[in-house]
Amino acid sequence: MTATEWAGPVTAILAMAAATYAVRFAGYWIMSRVPLTPFLRAALEALPGAIIVATVVPLAMRGGLSAWIGIAAATLAMIAVRRDIVALAAGMGAVMAARALGLP
């Protein structure tokens, strides 16, 4: 590859990295100046779960029955063991097994 062929992807990667760090820094900077009320604290504590649901549900809607089986397996594993990696493995294993059995 020539230098001009590398310029576009490298520029895009550097721009995305700079934007990521700028957003992270801005978030820390802004939150250091905002008083944490009980309402705001509760909202921030609920945010990770909301992000997971917002990410998983659209995928499950397109994934069919096997995706829902995987979500159920991951949820049960998380309730039982309370370890993210175990829940991830259980969900992925359930999806693979369901698809191996021919489920959509």
Side-chain angles (χ1 to χ4, degrees), residues 70 73-74 87-97:
L88 177 66
M92 290 177 57
V95 170
M96 289 188 292

Side-chain angles (χ1 to χ4, degrees), residues 66 69-71 73-74 85-98:
S66 60
I69 291 170
I71 290 171
I85 194 74
V86 173
L88 177 66
M92 290 177 57
V95 170
M96 289 188 292

Side-chain angles (χ1 to χ4, degrees), residues 41-65:
R41 184 176 299 277
L44 289 173
E45 288 173 359
L47 194 57
I51 292 171
I52 289 172
V53 169
T55 304
V56 168
V57 169
L59 294 172
M61 296 303 289
R62 289 182 298 192
L65 181 60

Side-chain angles (χ1 to χ4, degrees), residues 36-45:
L36 283 178
T37 63
F39 175 77
L40 183 57
R41 184 176 299 277
L44 289 173
E45 288 173 359

